[in-house]
Amino acid sequence: MAHPGPCAEHGYYSRVFDATPEAIRAILCSAARYLRLLLPEDVAGSVEIVLAEILNNIGEHGYPAGCAGRIRLSLMLDKSDLFCTVSDRGDEIPAGLFQTGPPRCSRPVPADLPEGGFGTFLIRDLTREIHYRREDGCNLITFHMTV
């Protein structure tokens, strides 16, 4: 069950939810409604793609089969910038998957990418910056997008 956070009028959205396909799908729908209230359609769509890739990867790969897990999602809109934080206590994300800093400029050939490589490319291509760290057993992904 998702827990409601502050309302959209304040430019802040926060939820904690189970890392199950059903809960992730519900949160993506809820976040999409929130984003479309505050952002231009194309920007909201880009944020949805990034969130879907990150949250679905956590749900599919972050927790061993049969183990329950939780995800925390926070979005904050500040003038022309959107900041997002996603955290979970699942398995550590493989080294180098989210290289820190701004995205690369060159576009990969999808057929040349490893499994999951295109989703990672989309995340890096659509965000202004993305960072990952593991701290005290917690994965923390932060990204920033210009609105």
Side-chain angles (χ1 to χ4, degrees), residues 20-126:
T20 64
E22 299 79 18
I24 290 170
R25 194 169 23 257
I27 287 300
L28 286 170
C29 289
S30 171
R33 285 190 300 274
Y34 163 76
L35 292 166
R36 293 190 189 292
L37 289 174
L38 302 175
L39 302 176
E41 185 77 20
D42 60 330
V43 176
S46 293
V47 177
E48 288 174 53
I49 290 169
V50 172
L51 288 176
E53 287 294 331
I54 291 172
L55 297 178
N56 285 321
N57 280 335
I58 293 169
E60 289 176 28
H61 306 292
Y63 294 95
C67 292
R70 308 278 286 163
I71 301 171
R72 177 181 300 275
L73 168 66
S74 298
L75 300 168
M76 185 183 76
L77 183 63
D78 183 31
K79 298 181 184 172
S80 63
D81 295 299
L82 178 74
F83 299 91
C84 177
T85 302
V86 178
S87 62
D88 69 272
R89 293 198 164 275
D91 292 339
E92 187 170 0
I93 293 175
L97 189 62
F98 293 118
Q99 299 167 352
T100 58
R104 295 178 299 269
C105 297
S106 61
R107 294 196 179 269
V109 176
D112 294 341
L113 292 168
E115 193 280 320
F118 192 68
T120 303
F121 165 75
L122 280 175
I123 292 167
R124 290 198 41 80
D125 190 54
L126 293 172

